[in-house]
Amino acid sequence: GAVVSQHPSRVICKSGTSVKIECRSLDFQATTMFWYRQFPKQSLMLMATSNEGSKATYEQGVEKDKFLINHASLTLSTLTVTSAHPEDSSFYICSASDTNRDGYTFGSGTRLTVV
Amino acid sequence: GENVEQHPSTLSVQEGDSAVIKCTYSDSASNYFPWYKQELGKRPQLIIDIRSNVGEKKDQRIAVTLNKTAKHFSLHITETQPEDSAVYFCAAAPKAAGNKLTFGGGTRVLVKP
């Protein structure tokens, strides 16, 4: 089946630094990648949608200059949290979609802790 | 945009009993409705999905029903077991691929032995 590899699984960083999260589709071409954020005991909230080779579309209230998304190839999308603050601490998870197959494939998630 | 409401937020059932979770959606363009089970710190796992061209789908102890007119869909788990304890999310999307998935708020299910 379709697999999306997400790294790192856990990261602790200092306030003010940047963190990059990678999602890689291993056996299919991810034409669209969705990035979600999930705070404890809450639902998955969509942050942005990216299509390969074009700029990401951000959901209302999500700062595009703070959460940089790059979808430079059909197998790799990255989310960079810039100038991280403790309130950015959350579970970040990607989900890839391929128009040639039904459904959404989720990465394993990244637990970000900003201290 | 799409808005998905999910109830109840918590559900406690005795082992062997049934559990029912209900969701409503707002966008009539939605036609793909998956259900996910998420354990703490893990990715959501698809447990069943339904498309708008059917009203009901069943897979062993799990069933989903869809009422497109009323814009609601439900998850039914029969003969619950302790390993069914988790958080369950419903979601909706205009189609199964390439379009954003909007999640409900989640239901924390506890199956008591």
Side-chain angles (χ1 to χ4, degrees), chain B residues 58-63 76-81 83-84:
Chain B
K58 189 174 181 181
D59 182 4
Q60 299 182 358
R61 297 188 296 110
I62 295 172
H76 304 251
I77 306 174
T78 58
E79 300 171 32
T80 53
Q81 301 165 2
E83 51 265 37
D84 293 330

Side-chain angles (χ1 to χ4, degrees), chain B residues 30-66:
Chain B
S30 288
N31 59 12
Y32 175 65
F33 307 94
W35 285 89
Y36 295 91
K37 176 183 181 183
Q38 187 182 31
E39 296 177 354
L40 192 62
K42 305 286 187 182
R43 79 186 85 196
Q45 295 278 0
L46 179 70
I47 55 172
I48 197 167
D49 58 11
I50 192 167
R51 289 168 175 77
S52 59
N53 56 344
V54 297
E56 186 174 355
K57 184 177 178 181
K58 189 174 181 181
D59 182 4
Q60 299 182 358
R61 297 188 296 110
I62 295 172
V64 57
T65 58
L66 170 65

Side-chain angles (χ1 to χ4, degrees), chain B residues 11-113:
Chain B
L11 180 60
S12 181
V13 297
Q14 208 65 39
E15 182 178 0
D17 288 350
S18 295
V20 180
I21 303 171
K22 298 183 178 183
C23 287
T24 59
Y25 63 99
S26 61
D27 190 349
S28 56
S30 288
N31 59 12
Y32 175 65
F33 307 94
W35 285 89
Y36 295 91
K37 176 183 181 183
Q38 187 182 31
E39 296 177 354
L40 192 62
K42 305 286 187 182
R43 79 186 85 196
Q45 295 278 0
L46 179 70
I47 55 172
I48 197 167
D49 58 11
I50 192 167
R51 289 168 175 77
S52 59
N53 56 344
V54 297
E56 186 174 355
K57 184 177 178 181
K58 189 174 181 181
D59 182 4
Q60 299 182 358
R61 297 188 296 110
I62 295 172
V64 57
T65 58
L66 170 65
N67 182 327
K68 279 219 77 178
T69 304
K71 295 198 187 74
H72 65 71
F73 56 114
S74 301
L75 178 72
H76 304 251
I77 306 174
T78 58
E79 300 171 32
T80 53
Q81 301 165 2
E83 51 265 37
D84 293 330
S85 297
V87 179
Y88 291 80
F89 291 98
C90 62
K95 65 175 183 179
N99 288 280
K100 64 182 181 181
L101 203 52
T102 302
F103 284 84
T107 298
R108 188 171 299 274
V109 174
L110 175 63
V111 180
K112 295 182 286 186

Side-chain angles (χ1 to χ4, degrees), chain A residues 4 32 34 36 38 41-44 46 49 51 59 91 93 97-99 101-104 106-109 111, chain B residues 32 34 36 38 40-44 49 51 89 93-106 108:
Chain A
V4 172
T32 305
F34 304 94
Y36 292 88
Q38 186 177 30
K41 298 187 179 182
Q42 293 189 22
S43 186
L44 287 83
L46 182 67
T49 302
N51 292 294
E59 295 298 302
F91 188 62
I93 190 163
S97 178
D98 173 8
T99 52
R101 71 174 77 192
D102 278 346
Y104 302 80
F106 286 87
S108 53
R111 172 75 56 196
Chain B
Y32 175 65
Y36 295 91
Q38 187 182 31
L40 192 62
K42 305 286 187 182
R43 79 186 85 196
D49 58 11
R51 289 168 175 77
F89 291 98
K95 65 175 183 179
N99 288 280
K100 64 182 181 181
L101 203 52
T102 302
F103 284 84
R108 188 171 299 274

